[in-house]
Amino acid sequence: MSMILAELNAKGRVTVNELAEQLNVSKVTIRRDLDVLSRENKLIIVHGGGIKPNFTLYEAPYSDRNSVFIEEKQRVGMKAVELINDYDVIALGVGTTTIQIANHLFNKKNLTIITGCIQVLNSLIERKKSGYFTGKLIFLGGEIDTDQMFASGSMTIELLEKFHIDKAFIGANGYSIADGITTYDIDEGNFLKKMVQRSNKVHVVIDHSKIDVKSMYTYAEYNDIDCVICNIDPPIEWKEKLTSSGIDWVVAD
């Protein structure tokens, strides 16, 4: 089983067929070993094999995720609002943490806010109509993902390419030194990658469950951003690299 774990640590996932061929044993033997490792919480059984406990391939729909760690996400959103100044051109990415920025935005003047997330847009529209802030709202249209509630595709990216953004606030399904900033969806990842490139300052907004986690697609390296806003401190072993990379870690307590 040590060889299975070595393969798992190297790739993030293993398959029954590949392991059986590599180790020259039966598929029944591999499945039995995977069951043992699963009971020991060393992997998660998926169809055809197993994945690391901190490696996930699929994301629940937006509506199912919105209430998970809601208090932590609210604190992160409120802290992010403190970093927004009047007259800023800001971009808000996709996710259930970035919407908390929209939900708590107040007392700001003449903002230009760019987003491709439908739920974020809806929140911003209601708050602007209620007088919580003034300025412009720009929606980046494209093909709509009705599960995750965002626009994506070449039209979205081409439109984003035209903007010069002061500050971007992006979510992530995982943030780690080793694997960078990851998401489940390649289209979302390409959209967020472009947002990172078009922004003078990039903030990652995450709750503690995203720390040292990776999902399928890396859209930026850990040091491609300027600031992480989270509800807890970073892992101790990260602090030196964060400091040397000039990354601020802001705790929303």
Side-chain angles (χ1 to χ4, degrees):
M1 282 187 283
S2 61
M3 294 183 68
I4 295 177
L5 286 175
E7 189 77 3
L8 185 68
N9 288 329
K11 296 182 178 180
R13 69 171 296 155
V14 291
T15 68
V16 172
N17 291 340
E18 289 179 353
L19 289 173
E21 183 177 347
Q22 291 172 10
L23 303 178
N24 196 28
V25 297
S26 70
K27 295 179 182 179
V28 173
T29 298
I30 294 298
R31 290 191 182 97
R32 184 178 64 241
D33 289 346
L34 294 181
D35 285 338
V36 172
L37 293 172
S38 176
R39 289 195 295 272
E40 294 175 353
N41 295 318
K42 294 179 179 177
L43 61 72
I44 298 171
I45 298 293
V46 296
H47 179 70
I51 60 175
K52 290 177 69 173
N54 67 340
F55 183 87
T56 49
L57 293 174
Y58 305 106
E59 184 170 36
Y62 188 100
S63 57
D64 292 346
R65 296 182 289 114
N66 199 34
S67 60
V68 178
F69 298 121
I70 183 63
E71 293 183 3
E72 291 85 348
K73 292 173 181 177
Q74 288 172 342
R75 293 201 299 272
V76 170
M78 288 187 282
K79 180 61 70 172
V81 169
E82 295 178 10
L83 304 181
I84 297 172
N85 298 319
D86 295 346
Y87 298 93
D88 274 344
V89 177
I90 68 171
L92 298 181
V94 182
T96 57
T97 304
T98 52
I99 194 174
Q100 294 303 328
I101 302 174
N103 289 348
H104 293 92
L105 191 61
F106 75 102
N107 197 28
K108 306 294 180 182
K109 298 178 181 178
N110 295 314
L111 298 178
T112 299
I113 307 176
I114 302 164
T115 187
C117 180
I118 295 170
Q119 300 286 46
V120 168
L121 177 66
N122 289 339
S123 175
L124 290 171
I125 290 172
E126 292 304 315
R127 293 189 72 80
K128 185 173 185 292
K129 288 168 61 178
S130 299
Y132 287 101
F133 69 94
T134 63
K136 299 178 181 179
L137 300 179
I138 299 173
F139 181 70
L140 302 170
E143 183 177 354
I144 304 298
D145 184 319
T146 54
D147 284 332
Q148 305 307 332
M149 301 296 287
F150 71 93
S152 65
S154 59
M155 288 188 296
T156 310
I157 292 176
E158 287 173 11
L159 185 57
L160 183 56
E161 178 71 44
K162 300 179 185 299
F163 289 98
H164 302 279
I165 300 165
D166 295 321
K167 300 169 185 175
F169 296 86
I170 59 175
N173 297 123
Y175 181 88
S176 74
I177 299 294
D179 300 296
I181 312 171
T182 57
T183 182
Y184 301 85
D185 189 279
I186 294 174
D187 287 335
E188 179 185 337
N190 289 332
F191 169 69
L192 293 174
K193 180 178 181 179
K194 180 58 67 175
M195 187 175 287
V196 169
Q197 294 171 348
R198 300 302 301 168
S199 302
N200 290 332
K201 190 168 186 178
V202 181
H203 307 73
V204 170
V205 289
I206 53 174
D207 64 73
H208 63 279
S209 69
K210 309 300 175 56
I211 295 176
D212 208 19
V213 170
K214 67 177 178 180
S215 53
M216 186 180 72
Y217 184 71
T218 297
Y219 67 85
E221 299 303 320
Y222 83 94
N223 56 357
D224 286 338
I225 55 98
D226 302 283
C227 178
V228 177
I229 307 173
C230 186
N231 62 296
I232 64 171
D233 288 314
I236 294 175
E237 61 271 21
W238 287 14
K239 289 188 176 181
E240 184 176 345
K241 286 192 174 182
L242 292 171
T243 300
S244 64
S245 298
I247 300 171
D248 294 324
W249 191 286
V250 177
V251 178
D253 49 18

